[in-house]
Amino acid sequence: MGKIISIANQKGGVGKTTTAINLAASLAALEKRVLIVDADPQANASSGLGIDVRKVGSTIYDCLVDGADPVQAIISCNIDNLDIIPSNIDLVGAEIEMINMEKRESVLKEMLKKIPGGYDYMLIDCSPSLGLLTVNALTASDSVIVPVQCEYFALEGLGKLLNTIKIIQNNLNTDLQIEGFLLTMYDSRLRLSNQVVDEVRKHFQQMVFETIIQRNIKLSEAPSFGQPALLYDAESRGAVNYLNLARELIEKVEKVVIDSGGAESKN
């Protein structure tokens, strides 16, 4: 099994789904095999990749609640090397239905174990909450990417997220790491954007990705066409930003593999 990364922040509108879609597409373009796990009832990652969520057969809900085979739920996207386990509105009820399950925090982890190897990366698009679905995602993951928008109140709520991550590290997943904080929606013309960048880098230092995702109209338009920015406009600033992020992530992950003495198992 490849590296499993959750993309999480309980604040809405910070770029989680945009990051899931475009980072996954960029990794796939760089010849990595990628699976997106859409763990958000809004299903924006699914629709943003051209999936009609009203017509899909099996979804993540069926896998988590009814024990359906996740392999049967995987759908190939219109980009080579990129697949998705879709979501739909049914997932809203999953947390209530999972509440009495044995080892309820590990249901997603056990589900992902049923997927054969071959993926270099699995990216979990989390819902904007710190509920049971997000806890499941973090319990199943090797690491977490935290998008932080370059706007007012950027750091608000991050304390709660970091506390949740710490609780999971202590009780459910001792191997969980913070892959990095990703600055999104950056506008170089705004003093506030630059202040947020400085503040986040001051707080989290080496944990912040060098790549910054700039505010870009193409990133906003692409999902309505069911495409990542890379397909919608490969030369757009947003597409280039996410390609750079993918390269940075690959370099970081592969450096860790080599440093741990496992060059032969490099992704």
Side-chain angles (χ1 to χ4, degrees):
M1 186 181 292
K3 180 149 191 169
I4 303 174
I5 304 175
S6 281
I7 301 171
N9 188 330
Q10 78 272 24
K11 286 188 70 175
V14 299
K16 286 189 299 295
T17 299
T18 298
T19 295
I21 291 171
N22 290 285
L23 175 57
S26 297
L27 288 167
L30 295 171
E31 301 185 339
K32 301 296 180 182
R33 286 211 65 211
V34 186
L35 175 68
I36 293 182
V37 180
D38 190 350
D40 185 349
Q42 297 177 88
N44 290 334
S46 302
S47 58
L49 285 169
I51 308 297
D52 187 342
V53 297
R54 298 165 298 179
K55 296 180 179 179
V56 293
S58 191
T59 69
I60 188 173
Y61 171 85
D62 303 295
C63 300
L64 293 175
V65 175
D66 299 328
D69 183 356
V71 175
Q72 299 300 316
I74 294 174
I75 298 174
S76 295
C77 300
N78 53 1
I79 289 183
D80 290 343
N81 300 318
L82 179 57
D83 298 333
I84 186 170
I85 295 180
S87 177
N88 63 17
I89 194 64
D90 291 347
L91 195 60
V92 167
E95 293 194 352
I96 296 172
E97 297 183 62
M98 292 165 64
I99 203 78
N100 292 320
M101 288 185 180
E102 188 178 350
K103 295 183 178 178
R104 62 190 180 190
E105 298 90 354
S106 302
V107 179
L108 179 57
K109 180 178 182 179
E110 295 306 312
M111 185 200 98
L112 294 180
K113 285 181 180 178
K114 298 176 184 177
I115 298 174
Y119 289 107
D120 298 301
Y121 294 90
M122 294 186 187
L123 302 184
I124 306 175
D125 184 28
C126 296
S127 60
S129 76
L130 293 178
L132 187 55
L133 284 173
T134 298
V135 169
N136 262 264
L138 295 174
T139 301
S141 296
D142 299 305
S143 63
V144 54
I145 291 175
V146 182
V148 180
Q149 82 278 34
C150 295
E151 296 178 358
Y152 198 57
F153 294 135
L155 299 180
E156 186 184 64
L158 277 187
K160 282 186 179 179
L161 175 61
L162 294 175
N163 189 51
T164 299
I165 290 171
K166 190 171 184 179
I167 290 170
I168 288 170
Q169 288 170 327
N170 290 337
N171 298 285
L172 296 166
N173 183 1
T174 55
D175 295 325
L176 180 65
Q177 302 288 326
I178 295 178
E179 194 70 50
F181 293 86
L182 175 65
L183 291 157
T184 64
M185 305 179 188
Y186 174 73
D187 187 338
S188 60
R189 299 168 299 178
L190 301 179
R191 186 170 63 178
L192 177 61
S193 280
N194 292 295
Q195 288 173 340
V196 171
V197 170
D198 292 341
E199 191 172 356
V200 172
R201 290 201 187 281
K202 179 182 174 183
H203 270 79
F204 300 110
Q205 300 177 7
Q206 303 307 119
M207 298 170 71
V208 183
F209 283 104
E210 287 295 324
T211 304
I212 295 177
I213 309 302
Q214 295 167 284
R215 188 176 289 280
N216 177 241
I217 191 64
K218 300 296 184 182
L219 277 179
S220 303
E221 291 176 349
S224 64
F225 292 89
Q227 295 179 335
L230 200 60
L231 282 187
Y232 182 62
D233 185 348
E235 295 182 359
S236 67
R237 187 175 293 170
V240 172
N241 286 165
Y242 276 107
L243 265 174
N244 289 336
L245 177 65
R247 291 189 182 100
E248 185 178 351
L249 178 63
I250 291 169
E251 184 178 343
K252 185 177 182 182
V253 169
E254 295 186 352
K255 182 177 186 298
V256 170
V257 171
I258 293 171
D259 287 349
S260 63
E264 72 281 358
S265 62
K266 184 170 158 182
N267 280 334

